[in-house]
Every structure is written in C-alpha cells, then in structure tokens.
Amino acid sequence: MATAEVERRRGQLAALSIAAVVIIVGVPLWWKTTETYRAWLPVSQIRELAKLQLQLSADVEVVFARGTVTPEQQKKVPLTKTQEEDHAVDEGTTLKYRYETKYRTATIMEEDALNKPTAAEADLALHMLSESPCGSLVIYVIPESSSLLHEDVKVYVGQRRTALLRVVAQMRTAKTFEQLLDRLQPHIIQVLRIMSFSRADITAALSDRVRFHPGSKESVADSMRAFKSSPGYEITFSLLNPDPKSHRLHWDIEGAAQTYIQPLLMKMSPVANFSIDSQTLHYAMLGVNPRYDSSRSAYTLNADSLAHVINPVEARLGSNAASSNPVLNFLLYVPDSHHSPLYIQDHHKQEVPSNAFHSPRWGGIMVYNVDSSYGPEAEFPVDININMAKVMGVFLAQLRLLLGVQSSPPPPGFLVAPCGSTGLADWELDRLMWSRSVENIATATTTITSLAQLLDQIGNIVINDNIAEQVSNAVTSLQLAVAELDAGNLGFALQFSKEAILASEKAFFDPSLLHLLYFPDDQKFAIYIPLFLPMCVPILLSLLKIASEARQKRREKQAKKD
Amino acid sequence: MLADDMACNHRNPKPATVFSHKNMELNVYGDDVEVDYRGYEVTVENFLRVLTGRLPPSTPRSKRLLSDDRSNILIYLTGHGGNGFLKFQDSEEISNVELADAFEQMWQKRRYNELLFIIDTCQGASMYERFYSPNIMALASSQVGEDSLSHQPDLAIGVHLMDRYTFYLLEFLEDIHPASKANMNDLFKVCPRSQCVSTPGHRTDLFQRDPGSVLITDFFGSVRKVEITTEAVNLTDPIKQVEERFLRIFQGKLQCRETCLVSDYVPGIAGPKGRALQLYIHHSDYYYVLINLLPIEFP
C-alpha cells in the first residue's frame, strides 16, 4: 500500500517536473532559437518622414538702374521683403516657396556695365563686378529707353545669374514705391519661374511620391525625356562606320571630349559623377532602309522609321559591365558611299538642320555625311577627318536635353541668352540642383518608408546591423537635407540628399532582404505537429490524471467533513 | 533564364538549333538569342533577386534588371506547373503569392511602368490570381483545373518540341512587324479552345489603360520613342574655353570664377608652397591667374 502511494507520488512529481521544465525552460528556448535577428530601426522618425514638408527658398536682388525710380521712390530703397507661397501637392506632401527679395539702386560701376552696347556685353561686365552665390538671382530693372534690348524684348536672361527687365509704361506711372513694386511683381514672378523653381518642375520632380497626372502630351514627353536622378552617369560615344572599304574615318574624340564635353561635366559635378568612353564599330548598319528622294538627289530617313533604328544597333554597343549607372549613348553614323548623302526628315517632310535625333532616357544619333569631301575619282579608302566641333555641338544639345537641363520654351517677350561655351548657364545649373534635391529627397523618403513597411509586414526577415545603420544614416541625411533646403543652402541640400539616396538604396536593395520562405498556415502546422505532439501527449495526459485525482481527493475530503 | 540544356544536348541531331516544328522551318535558338542565366543559376532565388533588384554588388550589368518607372517589362514563364505554383528545374517551386509580393516590391520602387505577364503551364491562370499591384496585364494558357498540352512531337528527337499555346503565340508574333498597330485584344484571341484544347485566360482589371489601346509593340519589338533634335549648341573657339578656368584675384582676395558651392574668399593669394602660379592676364584691377588643375591648399 505504502509503496504504491510512494510510486504514485513519484509519478505525479515526475509528470509535474517534466511539465515545468517544458513550460519554463523549453518554450522560451524554442522561442528564442527560432527568433530572427532584427536590429532596431528608427520607426517613429521614418513615420514622420512619410509626411513631407519642404520649403524652397531663393534670394533675389532687384536692382533699379538710373531712370527707373523717381527720387521720391528712391528714398524707400534699400528694402527687404519676403514672399511665401504654399503649394499642397497631395495630403502627404506640402511645399512652401519662399523668396527673400532685396531692393536697391545700382552702383556706379553697375551703371557703367549697363551702358555697354549689347546685352551680352552688359551681362559679362556685370558678372565681373560680383558673383552671385548658388541659388540666388539678380534682376536689373532698366529704363524703357535703354538700347540694350530690342523693341519687343521685355526680359533678357543672361548666362550667369542675372536678368535684365525693362520697365514698361504701366510701371512708369506708379506714384509711390509700393505701387511700383506691385506693378513690377508679376514680371518678377515670371522671371523667377524661369530662372529658379516653378510649380511644374517641382511637381514633376516629386513623381516618385505623387502620381504625376500631366495635363498635356508635351508635359508627358518632357517628364519622360530626362534621366532620373542617379549618383553617376556613363557617357559613351560611338562611331559607326558601315563602309570601311570606302571611308577611313578619323575622329579626335579624346580631344573633343576634353575640350567640349568636359567643361559641362565639371560644372555639373555637384549634381553627379560622369565617366566618358568611346568606341568605333565597323560594318555596323542601320536596321532601316533609307529611301531615295530624287528631288533632293539624296537618301532620306523619315521620322516614323527612326524608332526602329536603335534596337538592332544597341545589341552591338558595349558598355561598362562594372557599374549599374545609367548609360547615355551618343552615336555618330557615317553613311556608306552607296547611300550618301543621307538626311533625316521630320514629320512634315522637312529636312532637319542638325541631322540628328534622340531617344528619351537612351541617347542620341547623328548622321554625318562625308560625300562632299571627296570627288567621284577618289581612290578608296578615303581618309576623312570628322569636324568634331559640329558633331559635339549637336551631342551637347542632346546631352542637355537628356540630363534635364533644357526647359520649356520661354514666354513671349523673353530673350534667353544662348548657353556659354561650357554648354550650361549658371541659372540652369541652379534649376537642375533645385529639382534634383527635391527628387532625391522624395525618392529617398518613399524608399525608406516602403522598406519600413515591408519589414514590418514580413515578420521573419532578418534585419542585419548594417541595414539598420544605412537606414539611420538615410534618415539623418534626409533631415539635414530638408533643413538645408529650408535655410536656402542649395549646395549642401543637394549633397545631403545624394547621401540620403545612396544610403536608402543601399538599405533597400541589400541582398539579405530577400523573403523567400512563404509558409501557409497549414504547412506550419504540418511541420510542428509531428515534433511536438508525441512529446506533449503523455505530459498532458498525466497532468489531467493528477488534476482529476486532486479533484477526487477534495471531494472525498468534503464528504468526510460532512 | 533558361536551363539551356537542349540546343547543345548530345542527343540533338542538329546541334545549336531548336525548331518550333518538325518541318525545321523556324530556328528559335538563332543568332540574336541572349541567355543571361543558364543551368544552375536558374533558381527561384535568383529570379526573385533579379525582379526586386536585390543582387550582390558583384553582379554585372547584363544580369541585372536596370529598369525605371518608364520601362515596360515582359515576363514569360513556361514549364510544368500546378494550382498556384510553377516548377523550377525539377527541384524548386515558385508560388503565386511570392510572385505577387515580388511584383508589389517592384511597384513600390517604381521599377516598371507596365508589366505583361504570360504563362504557359498547366493551370496557369492560378498564377495570376494573387496579383495586386497596378499596371499588370496577365495571360495564361489554361484555367485552374485544366492542363496545357504540348503541340507535336518530333520523332527524330523523341520529344515534343513546343507547347500549343506557345506555338500559336509564336505564329501570331511572327506576323507582327515593328510598325504594326495590332493591340492586346488580338493577343487575347490567340489559341482558342479549338486549337489549344485548354481555355486561355487573361486578367486586365489591374491595368489602367484599355487593352484595345495597348499596342503589341509596347511590349514586343523594342520600338523606341524618338524625337528630332531641333537645336545644336554653337561651340566657340576652343581657346576661349581656357579663359573660363581662371581664378580671379581682386585686391589680394581670391575669388572663384566658376560656380562654387562654398564661398571661397581666402585672404591673400592661396597657393601651395613650391608650386608656381602662372600670371596670365592683367586687366584693370583684376589679375587672372591660370591654375594648372592642381589642388590648392588653403592656409
């Protein structure tokens, strides 16, 4: 009797202790070992970033030349005013445009500069006097009688950061200074829209965050043309020679790239890094047959067939295998002697003066005819030197379009100075920097917020320390970039936005973040049940037995009491 | 991505060719076929990595999907499959949920503008049931519960050469030239039940445009948008270029000539010790100094 009791006691104790070990030690151990390592992410800061509030500020100086203000009005000058404009793009994104305008009169040296015979010389002379920092503008208001501008030209936009605005009749009749400023305001706003940032540009730059609903076909084409912001670009120049038997082509691409392209790329170095390479392809044909036009005694390619030219050629173009930067291809095609001269026709069957076409986000192709440089009795192969200045002029124009430098045509009455020999005006660079900063910030915020959402949704992706570090870096850089934009330091804002984008892309595209294991619930049960059920059944049964025995004993005790 | 073990298989009587029909008219393994992933590289993991862009940094360009928000992507899958999965190389499966999640991640990062998904397996329609990202159009060769059948065997080789849906799709596409205006409604009519035995299906509810307005050449044939270049930059004499690279010194203060991000007002003439600065032009109060592209140490 006693031993049976002892045995039973021992049995109960064994069952209870096994259950205790399983629950207290086993379950936490199993939980810990099947846990995935997830480093800490600044989730609250990321959620704040989802609501983007940007402020773009530009410094504007308005300088009144002699003859534009009355002596009475002159007493009010110098004056500083700040204008703000709100722009709510959608519920998650709000923008504020801030212009801090200083009004003053011109100095004697500036007056001398404004007395130069042509607007271009005046522009150069004004630039020699003082240099405007990045992101700022100077507008010189010149009297109606000034001979600098042609009759129907109201505004001259220079190559650096200055513009000349001619006073029109309404402005002259203003009595007080405030009236004059009011009448001047819409013209100044027009100039600012061209030379710094405009709503359309900034909304297009935000296309990553905000689904862009363009109004017209032109704005669709404009938004599609330029490459997206990237830390680096590769530029490849290719010479296509389909007929090496007839033409032996020489092109000084190194010298030409160094002289004509490199200044533009150096000027754009705050925006991105560029690398240039070149190649020559022999026996490379265009995939399209040109048609012979007897009225011009030349071969023509019409605009519709141009779309099919690129694909057959592209297969043979090499590219730098090591980098994943976007590639801009510039091809120079010299037609073979049987199909020379070859001209490109536009949609209205007119000849194109540049004889070139470009494809958005890909590059450009130029057709260079050499039939005029040799006669019919020439001995083949003929040595031909290609005029690189003409070729590079076209490629530079295409490069400007593809990088997003060129803007829409200016409103009537505006004369924009042709870009200097670097190919880029200072204010165009500022515009590009504004839109690139905004684009980078928008892209980085969407990347970080969608990464955080993804990691939240999928519970068993491992988050390594390096990813957490990149995310924290990205968040910090973003906050700094937004702060610098607020303060108006365009250069620093762009730099921080580039760092933010690099860090966020590195974190998002980290190879370790691949979620491969998809386990539907029934599969999970199918894995765990064969492991845990055989072990749990005896423990559960013995616990149940102990519980029923304890209940029975209590009932007996009750019965005994009664 | 191909297993790529057929064309150069030692049992192939015509090596380096894969024909669509035993009459050997059309060699589909021709000169312009480019295979980026072959053999052991074709795994579910690599496929998802290519789609989402999460490749190791050493991956070359040709093995990456370098698409942006304006790229149209065509994905064509074929092989053995079942209800909700596709078999990879007899050892792995990809499920429709994984595929849908991968597409959603592509959409989050704007890696596609529009996506055309064509699948030719048994019960192919199950693979596109779970998609939830916008701008995806999907076609499948058979509905759930149906088998997709193969076309005709070539007794010289001993295997069936092509599946029915793929055969009739190839026949349709061979008639499309780059300037064709055929639209997606024509593609939906390819291989009706009389030819395919199974019922092809399609899904367009996620696609924003009307399928009748979508050209086949939007996804096939690589037809680019082009614009005529109307302007050219007038390039001046190269000698003038050099003048732009001068630094300007005014009253002993160095002022930067080119666009600067940081204000470079430095007292005195900054110059590294021991390196000569060439004096080039002296014009009124300004000294123009040519700096030979050497870094300048500021004191």
Short mmCIF file of all heavy atoms in Angstrom, two decimals, chain A residues 89-146:
data_model
loop_
_atom_site.label_atom_id
_atom_site.label_comp_id
_atom_site.label_asym_id
_atom_site.label_seq_id
_atom_site.Cartn_x
_atom_site.Cartn_y
_atom_site.Cartn_z
N VAL A 89 0.67 69.56 -52.66
CA VAL A 89 0.65 68.65 -53.81
C VAL A 89 -0.36 67.53 -53.58
O VAL A 89 -1.19 67.22 -54.41
CB VAL A 89 2.05 68.07 -54.06
CG1 VAL A 89 2.07 67.24 -55.29
CG2 VAL A 89 3.06 69.18 -54.15
N ASP A 90 -0.25 66.89 -52.41
CA ASP A 90 -1.31 65.95 -52.01
C ASP A 90 -1.28 65.87 -50.48
O ASP A 90 -0.58 66.63 -49.84
CB ASP A 90 -1.14 64.58 -52.68
CG ASP A 90 0.09 63.85 -52.20
OD1 ASP A 90 0.84 64.38 -51.37
OD2 ASP A 90 0.31 62.72 -52.67
N GLU A 91 -2.02 64.93 -49.87
CA GLU A 91 -2.13 65.01 -48.41
C GLU A 91 -0.81 64.73 -47.73
O GLU A 91 -0.60 65.16 -46.62
CB GLU A 91 -3.12 64.01 -47.79
CG GLU A 91 -4.20 63.39 -48.58
CD GLU A 91 -3.73 62.45 -49.65
OE1 GLU A 91 -3.01 61.50 -49.33
OE2 GLU A 91 -4.10 62.72 -50.80
N GLY A 92 0.07 63.99 -48.41
CA GLY A 92 1.30 63.66 -47.71
C GLY A 92 2.44 64.63 -48.00
O GLY A 92 3.48 64.58 -47.38
N THR A 93 2.24 65.51 -48.97
CA THR A 93 3.35 66.36 -49.41
C THR A 93 2.91 67.80 -49.51
O THR A 93 1.96 68.10 -50.23
CB THR A 93 3.81 65.92 -50.82
OG1 THR A 93 3.72 64.52 -50.90
CG2 THR A 93 5.21 66.36 -51.08
N THR A 94 3.59 68.69 -48.76
CA THR A 94 3.29 70.11 -48.91
C THR A 94 4.59 70.84 -49.19
O THR A 94 5.63 70.52 -48.64
CB THR A 94 2.64 70.71 -47.65
OG1 THR A 94 3.39 70.28 -46.52
CG2 THR A 94 1.21 70.29 -47.50
N LEU A 95 4.49 71.86 -50.01
CA LEU A 95 5.67 72.64 -50.36
C LEU A 95 5.42 74.09 -50.02
O LEU A 95 4.30 74.57 -50.06
CB LEU A 95 5.94 72.55 -51.86
CG LEU A 95 6.34 71.19 -52.39
CD1 LEU A 95 6.23 71.18 -53.88
CD2 LEU A 95 7.77 70.90 -52.01
N LYS A 96 6.51 74.79 -49.71
CA LYS A 96 6.40 76.23 -49.49
C LYS A 96 7.51 76.88 -50.29
O LYS A 96 8.67 76.49 -50.18
CB LYS A 96 6.58 76.52 -48.00
CG LYS A 96 6.02 77.87 -47.58
CD LYS A 96 6.41 78.22 -46.18
CE LYS A 96 5.54 77.56 -45.15
NZ LYS A 96 5.63 78.21 -43.86
N TYR A 97 7.17 77.84 -51.10
CA TYR A 97 8.18 78.57 -51.87
C TYR A 97 8.39 79.91 -51.20
O TYR A 97 7.44 80.65 -50.98
CB TYR A 97 7.71 78.78 -53.31
CG TYR A 97 7.35 77.51 -54.02
CD1 TYR A 97 6.09 77.36 -54.60
CD2 TYR A 97 8.24 76.46 -54.12
CE1 TYR A 97 5.74 76.20 -55.25
CE2 TYR A 97 7.89 75.31 -54.77
CZ TYR A 97 6.65 75.18 -55.34
OH TYR A 97 6.31 74.03 -55.98
N ARG A 98 9.65 80.22 -50.93
CA ARG A 98 9.94 81.47 -50.21
C ARG A 98 10.95 82.27 -51.02
O ARG A 98 12.00 81.78 -51.38
CB ARG A 98 10.52 81.11 -48.84
CG ARG A 98 10.59 82.26 -47.89
CD ARG A 98 10.74 81.74 -46.46
NE ARG A 98 11.49 82.70 -45.69
CZ ARG A 98 12.80 82.75 -45.60
NH1 ARG A 98 13.52 81.84 -46.20
NH2 ARG A 98 13.40 83.68 -44.91
N TYR A 99 10.61 83.51 -51.30
CA TYR A 99 11.53 84.40 -52.00
C TYR A 99 11.87 85.56 -51.08
O TYR A 99 10.98 86.28 -50.65
CB TYR A 99 10.89 84.97 -53.26
CG TYR A 99 10.54 83.92 -54.29
CD1 TYR A 99 9.21 83.58 -54.53
CD2 TYR A 99 11.53 83.29 -55.02
CE1 TYR A 99 8.89 82.64 -55.47
CE2 TYR A 99 11.20 82.34 -55.96
CZ TYR A 99 9.88 82.01 -56.18
OH TYR A 99 9.57 81.07 -57.12
N GLU A 100 13.16 85.71 -50.80
CA GLU A 100 13.55 86.86 -50.00
C GLU A 100 14.12 87.90 -50.95
O GLU A 100 15.18 87.70 -51.55
CB GLU A 100 14.61 86.45 -48.97
CG GLU A 100 14.73 87.45 -47.87
CD GLU A 100 15.46 86.87 -46.69
OE1 GLU A 100 14.96 85.88 -46.12
OE2 GLU A 100 16.51 87.40 -46.36
N THR A 101 13.41 88.99 -51.12
CA THR A 101 13.76 89.97 -52.16
C THR A 101 14.34 91.21 -51.52
O THR A 101 13.77 91.79 -50.61
CB THR A 101 12.48 90.37 -52.93
OG1 THR A 101 11.65 89.23 -53.05
CG2 THR A 101 12.82 90.87 -54.31
N LYS A 102 15.52 91.61 -52.03
CA LYS A 102 16.15 92.86 -51.58
C LYS A 102 16.07 93.84 -52.73
O LYS A 102 16.48 93.54 -53.84
CB LYS A 102 17.63 92.62 -51.26
CG LYS A 102 17.90 91.81 -50.03
CD LYS A 102 19.37 92.01 -49.64
CE LYS A 102 19.85 90.99 -48.64
NZ LYS A 102 19.99 89.65 -49.07
N TYR A 103 15.57 95.02 -52.43
CA TYR A 103 15.50 96.05 -53.47
C TYR A 103 16.58 97.09 -53.19
O TYR A 103 16.75 97.54 -52.05
CB TYR A 103 14.14 96.74 -53.45
CG TYR A 103 12.98 95.79 -53.73
CD1 TYR A 103 12.33 95.16 -52.69
CD2 TYR A 103 12.57 95.55 -55.03
CE1 TYR A 103 11.28 94.30 -52.94
CE2 TYR A 103 11.52 94.69 -55.29
CZ TYR A 103 10.88 94.07 -54.24
OH TYR A 103 9.84 93.21 -54.49
N ARG A 104 17.32 97.47 -54.21
CA ARG A 104 18.32 98.54 -54.03
C ARG A 104 18.55 99.24 -55.36
O ARG A 104 18.05 98.80 -56.41
CB ARG A 104 19.63 97.98 -53.48
CG ARG A 104 20.35 97.04 -54.42
CD ARG A 104 21.71 96.67 -53.83
NE ARG A 104 22.37 95.68 -54.64
CZ ARG A 104 23.14 95.95 -55.69
NH1 ARG A 104 23.33 97.20 -56.07
NH2 ARG A 104 23.72 94.99 -56.37
N THR A 105 19.33 100.33 -55.29
CA THR A 105 19.65 101.03 -56.54
C THR A 105 21.03 100.61 -57.02
O THR A 105 21.85 100.11 -56.24
CB THR A 105 19.65 102.55 -56.34
OG1 THR A 105 20.42 102.85 -55.18
CG2 THR A 105 18.25 103.08 -56.19
N ALA A 106 21.29 100.87 -58.28
CA ALA A 106 22.54 100.39 -58.88
C ALA A 106 23.71 101.26 -58.46
O ALA A 106 23.58 102.46 -58.25
CB ALA A 106 22.41 100.38 -60.39
N THR A 107 24.87 100.60 -58.34
CA THR A 107 26.09 101.37 -58.05
C THR A 107 26.62 101.96 -59.35
O THR A 107 26.17 101.63 -60.44
CB THR A 107 27.16 100.47 -57.44
OG1 THR A 107 27.49 99.47 -58.41
CG2 THR A 107 26.66 99.79 -56.18
N ILE A 108 27.64 102.82 -59.20
CA ILE A 108 28.17 103.50 -60.39
C ILE A 108 28.79 102.48 -61.34
O ILE A 108 28.61 102.56 -62.56
CB ILE A 108 29.23 104.53 -59.96
CG1 ILE A 108 28.57 105.54 -59.05
CG2 ILE A 108 29.84 105.19 -61.18
CD1 ILE A 108 29.51 106.61 -58.55
N MET A 109 29.49 101.49 -60.78
CA MET A 109 30.12 100.50 -61.65
C MET A 109 29.07 99.69 -62.40
O MET A 109 29.25 99.34 -63.56
CB MET A 109 31.00 99.58 -60.81
CG MET A 109 32.24 100.31 -60.32
SD MET A 109 33.48 99.18 -59.70
CE MET A 109 32.76 98.72 -58.15
N GLU A 110 27.94 99.43 -61.72
CA GLU A 110 26.88 98.69 -62.39
C GLU A 110 26.26 99.53 -63.49
O GLU A 110 25.93 99.03 -64.57
CB GLU A 110 25.82 98.25 -61.38
CG GLU A 110 26.28 97.09 -60.52
CD GLU A 110 25.32 96.79 -59.38
OE1 GLU A 110 24.48 97.65 -59.08
OE2 GLU A 110 25.42 95.71 -58.81
N GLU A 111 26.12 100.82 -63.26
CA GLU A 111 25.59 101.71 -64.29
C GLU A 111 26.49 101.69 -65.52
O GLU A 111 26.02 101.65 -66.66
CB GLU A 111 25.48 103.14 -63.76
CG GLU A 111 24.44 103.34 -62.69
CD GLU A 111 23.04 103.31 -63.25
OE1 GLU A 111 22.87 103.36 -64.47
OE2 GLU A 111 22.11 103.21 -62.45
N ASP A 112 27.81 101.71 -65.27
CA ASP A 112 28.76 101.64 -66.39
C ASP A 112 28.55 100.36 -67.17
O ASP A 112 28.53 100.37 -68.40
CB ASP A 112 30.20 101.64 -65.85
CG ASP A 112 30.65 103.04 -65.53
OD1 ASP A 112 30.05 103.99 -66.07
OD2 ASP A 112 31.60 103.18 -64.74
N ALA A 113 28.38 99.28 -66.42
CA ALA A 113 28.19 98.00 -67.10
C ALA A 113 26.92 98.00 -67.92
O ALA A 113 26.88 97.46 -69.03
CB ALA A 113 28.16 96.89 -66.07
N LEU A 114 25.86 98.64 -67.40
CA LEU A 114 24.58 98.64 -68.11
C LEU A 114 24.61 99.57 -69.31
O LEU A 114 23.69 99.55 -70.12
CB LEU A 114 23.45 99.06 -67.17
CG LEU A 114 23.07 98.01 -66.12
CD1 LEU A 114 22.13 98.59 -65.09
CD2 LEU A 114 22.42 96.81 -66.79
N ASN A 115 25.66 100.38 -69.43
CA ASN A 115 25.75 101.25 -70.59
C ASN A 115 26.50 100.63 -71.75
O ASN A 115 26.78 101.29 -72.74
CB ASN A 115 26.42 102.58 -70.21
CG ASN A 115 25.43 103.49 -69.50
OD1 ASN A 115 24.24 103.39 -69.70
ND2 ASN A 115 25.94 104.36 -68.65
N LYS A 116 26.82 99.36 -71.63
CA LYS A 116 27.53 98.69 -72.72
C LYS A 116 26.59 98.57 -73.92
O LYS A 116 25.38 98.60 -73.77
CB LYS A 116 27.95 97.29 -72.26
CG LYS A 116 29.09 97.30 -71.25
CD LYS A 116 30.39 97.24 -71.96
CE LYS A 116 31.61 97.59 -71.20
NZ LYS A 116 31.94 97.32 -69.96
N PRO A 117 27.13 98.44 -75.12
CA PRO A 117 26.28 98.43 -76.31
C PRO A 117 25.31 97.26 -76.42
O PRO A 117 24.18 97.44 -76.84
CB PRO A 117 27.28 98.42 -77.48
CG PRO A 117 28.59 98.09 -76.89
CD PRO A 117 28.56 98.48 -75.47
N THR A 118 25.75 96.04 -76.08
CA THR A 118 24.82 94.92 -76.23
C THR A 118 24.54 94.27 -74.89
O THR A 118 25.30 94.43 -73.93
CB THR A 118 25.38 93.84 -77.16
OG1 THR A 118 26.57 93.31 -76.56
CG2 THR A 118 25.66 94.37 -78.54
N ALA A 119 23.45 93.52 -74.87
CA ALA A 119 23.05 92.88 -73.61
C ALA A 119 24.08 91.85 -73.17
O ALA A 119 24.36 91.70 -71.98
CB ALA A 119 21.69 92.21 -73.79
N ALA A 120 24.68 91.12 -74.14
CA ALA A 120 25.65 90.09 -73.78
C ALA A 120 26.87 90.71 -73.10
O ALA A 120 27.37 90.19 -72.10
CB ALA A 120 26.06 89.31 -75.02
N GLU A 121 27.33 91.86 -73.65
CA GLU A 121 28.50 92.51 -73.02
C GLU A 121 28.14 93.03 -71.64
O GLU A 121 28.94 92.96 -70.71
CB GLU A 121 28.97 93.66 -73.90
CG GLU A 121 29.69 93.19 -75.14
CD GLU A 121 30.11 94.37 -75.99
OE1 GLU A 121 30.49 95.41 -75.42
OE2 GLU A 121 30.04 94.26 -77.21
N ALA A 122 26.91 93.57 -71.52
CA ALA A 122 26.49 94.07 -70.21
C ALA A 122 26.48 92.93 -69.20
O ALA A 122 26.90 93.08 -68.05
CB ALA A 122 25.11 94.72 -70.32
N ASP A 123 25.98 91.80 -69.65
CA ASP A 123 25.92 90.62 -68.79
C ASP A 123 27.31 90.25 -68.30
O ASP A 123 27.54 89.99 -67.12
CB ASP A 123 25.30 89.47 -69.59
CG ASP A 123 24.97 88.29 -68.71
OD1 ASP A 123 24.62 88.51 -67.54
OD2 ASP A 123 25.08 87.16 -69.20
N LEU A 124 28.27 90.24 -69.22
CA LEU A 124 29.64 89.86 -68.86
C LEU A 124 30.23 90.87 -67.88
O LEU A 124 30.85 90.51 -66.88
CB LEU A 124 30.49 89.78 -70.13
CG LEU A 124 31.91 89.29 -69.95
CD1 LEU A 124 31.91 87.88 -69.39
CD2 LEU A 124 32.65 89.32 -71.28
N ALA A 125 30.00 92.17 -68.17
CA ALA A 125 30.56 93.21 -67.30
C ALA A 125 29.97 93.13 -65.90
O ALA A 125 30.67 93.28 -64.89
CB ALA A 125 30.29 94.58 -67.92
N LEU A 126 28.65 92.85 -65.83
CA LEU A 126 28.02 92.74 -64.51
C LEU A 126 28.57 91.55 -63.75
O LEU A 126 28.76 91.61 -62.53
CB LEU A 126 26.50 92.59 -64.69
CG LEU A 126 25.76 93.85 -65.10
CD1 LEU A 126 24.34 93.51 -65.52
CD2 LEU A 126 25.74 94.85 -63.96
N HIS A 127 28.85 90.48 -64.50
CA HIS A 127 29.38 89.29 -63.85
C HIS A 127 30.76 89.54 -63.28
O HIS A 127 31.13 89.01 -62.23
CB HIS A 127 29.40 88.15 -64.86
CG HIS A 127 30.03 86.90 -64.33
ND1 HIS A 127 29.41 86.13 -63.37
CD2 HIS A 127 31.20 86.30 -64.61
CE1 HIS A 127 30.18 85.10 -63.09
NE2 HIS A 127 31.28 85.17 -63.83
N MET A 128 31.56 90.38 -63.99
CA MET A 128 32.90 90.67 -63.50
C MET A 128 32.86 91.42 -62.19
O MET A 128 33.76 91.33 -61.37
CB MET A 128 33.66 91.54 -64.52
CG MET A 128 33.65 91.00 -65.89
SD MET A 128 35.15 90.10 -66.20
CE MET A 128 35.76 91.04 -67.56
N LEU A 129 31.77 92.19 -61.99
CA LEU A 129 31.73 93.02 -60.78
C LEU A 129 31.48 92.19 -59.54
O LEU A 129 32.10 92.39 -58.51
CB LEU A 129 30.61 94.06 -60.91
CG LEU A 129 30.88 95.17 -61.92
CD1 LEU A 129 29.65 96.03 -62.04
CD2 LEU A 129 32.04 96.00 -61.44
N SER A 130 30.53 91.30 -59.62
CA SER A 130 30.25 90.49 -58.43
C SER A 130 29.69 89.16 -58.86
O SER A 130 29.10 89.03 -59.93
CB SER A 130 29.23 91.20 -57.54
OG SER A 130 27.98 91.20 -58.19
N GLU A 131 29.89 88.18 -58.04
CA GLU A 131 29.47 86.83 -58.39
C GLU A 131 28.33 86.41 -57.45
O GLU A 131 28.50 86.45 -56.25
CB GLU A 131 30.66 85.90 -58.21
CG GLU A 131 30.34 84.48 -58.48
CD GLU A 131 31.22 83.94 -59.59
OE1 GLU A 131 32.01 84.70 -60.16
OE2 GLU A 131 31.10 82.76 -59.87
N SER A 132 27.20 86.06 -58.00
CA SER A 132 26.09 85.65 -57.13
C SER A 132 26.31 84.23 -56.65
O SER A 132 26.68 83.37 -57.44
CB SER A 132 24.77 85.69 -57.89
OG SER A 132 24.67 86.83 -58.67
N PRO A 133 26.06 83.97 -55.39
CA PRO A 133 26.21 82.58 -54.93
C PRO A 133 25.11 81.70 -55.50
O PRO A 133 24.12 82.18 -56.04
CB PRO A 133 26.09 82.70 -53.40
CG PRO A 133 25.36 83.96 -53.17
CD PRO A 133 25.67 84.88 -54.32
N CYS A 134 25.33 80.41 -55.32
CA CYS A 134 24.40 79.39 -55.81
C CYS A 134 22.99 79.64 -55.32
O CYS A 134 22.78 79.85 -54.15
CB CYS A 134 24.85 78.06 -55.21
SG CYS A 134 25.13 76.84 -56.39
N GLY A 135 22.03 79.56 -56.20
CA GLY A 135 20.64 79.63 -55.75
C GLY A 135 20.11 81.04 -55.65
O GLY A 135 18.95 81.23 -55.32
N SER A 136 20.92 82.05 -55.94
CA SER A 136 20.41 83.41 -55.84
C SER A 136 20.34 84.04 -57.22
O SER A 136 20.87 83.52 -58.18
CB SER A 136 21.31 84.25 -54.94
OG SER A 136 22.54 84.41 -55.57
N LEU A 137 19.65 85.16 -57.31
CA LEU A 137 19.42 85.80 -58.60
C LEU A 137 19.55 87.30 -58.44
O LEU A 137 19.25 87.82 -57.37
CB LEU A 137 17.99 85.59 -59.06
CG LEU A 137 17.57 84.27 -59.66
CD1 LEU A 137 16.10 84.39 -59.97
CD2 LEU A 137 18.33 84.04 -60.94
N VAL A 138 19.94 87.97 -59.52
CA VAL A 138 19.90 89.43 -59.50
C VAL A 138 19.12 89.88 -60.73
O VAL A 138 19.38 89.42 -61.84
CB VAL A 138 21.32 90.04 -59.56
CG1 VAL A 138 21.25 91.52 -59.34
CG2 VAL A 138 22.21 89.40 -58.53
N ILE A 139 18.15 90.74 -60.52
CA ILE A 139 17.37 91.27 -61.65
C ILE A 139 17.63 92.75 -61.72
O ILE A 139 17.43 93.49 -60.76
CB ILE A 139 15.86 91.02 -61.45
CG1 ILE A 139 15.59 89.53 -61.25
CG2 ILE A 139 15.07 91.54 -62.64
CD1 ILE A 139 14.15 89.21 -61.03
N TYR A 140 18.12 93.20 -62.86
CA TYR A 140 18.37 94.63 -63.07
C TYR A 140 17.20 95.23 -63.82
O TYR A 140 16.85 94.77 -64.91
CB TYR A 140 19.66 94.83 -63.88
CG TYR A 140 20.89 94.50 -63.10
CD1 TYR A 140 21.46 93.24 -63.18
CD2 TYR A 140 21.49 95.45 -62.27
CE1 TYR A 140 22.59 92.93 -62.45
CE2 TYR A 140 22.62 95.14 -61.54
CZ TYR A 140 23.15 93.88 -61.63
OH TYR A 140 24.26 93.56 -60.91
N VAL A 141 16.60 96.24 -63.23
CA VAL A 141 15.48 96.91 -63.88
C VAL A 141 16.04 98.09 -64.66
O VAL A 141 16.63 98.99 -64.09
CB VAL A 141 14.46 97.41 -62.83
CG1 VAL A 141 13.25 98.00 -63.50
CG2 VAL A 141 14.06 96.26 -61.93
N ILE A 142 15.87 98.05 -65.97
CA ILE A 142 16.46 99.09 -66.80
C ILE A 142 15.35 99.96 -67.40
O ILE A 142 14.22 99.50 -67.56
CB ILE A 142 17.34 98.50 -67.91
CG1 ILE A 142 16.56 97.48 -68.74
CG2 ILE A 142 18.57 97.88 -67.32
CD1 ILE A 142 17.37 96.95 -69.88
N PRO A 143 15.68 101.22 -67.68
CA PRO A 143 14.64 102.12 -68.19
C PRO A 143 14.17 101.72 -69.58
O PRO A 143 14.83 101.00 -70.31
CB PRO A 143 15.33 103.50 -68.20
CG PRO A 143 16.77 103.20 -68.19
CD PRO A 143 16.96 101.91 -67.49
N GLU A 144 12.98 102.22 -69.92
CA GLU A 144 12.36 101.85 -71.18
C GLU A 144 13.21 102.28 -72.36
O GLU A 144 13.21 101.66 -73.41
CB GLU A 144 11.00 102.54 -71.27
CG GLU A 144 9.99 101.77 -72.07
CD GLU A 144 8.64 102.45 -71.99
OE1 GLU A 144 8.44 103.19 -71.01
OE2 GLU A 144 7.84 102.25 -72.88
N SER A 145 13.94 103.37 -72.16
CA SER A 145 14.69 103.94 -73.27
C SER A 145 16.00 103.22 -73.51
O SER A 145 16.71 103.53 -74.44
CB SER A 145 14.97 105.41 -72.97
OG SER A 145 15.58 105.50 -71.70
N SER A 146 16.31 102.28 -72.68
CA SER A 146 17.62 101.63 -72.81
C SER A 146 17.76 100.93 -74.15
O SER A 146 16.82 100.32 -74.66
CB SER A 146 17.79 100.63 -71.67
OG SER A 146 18.86 99.79 -71.92
#
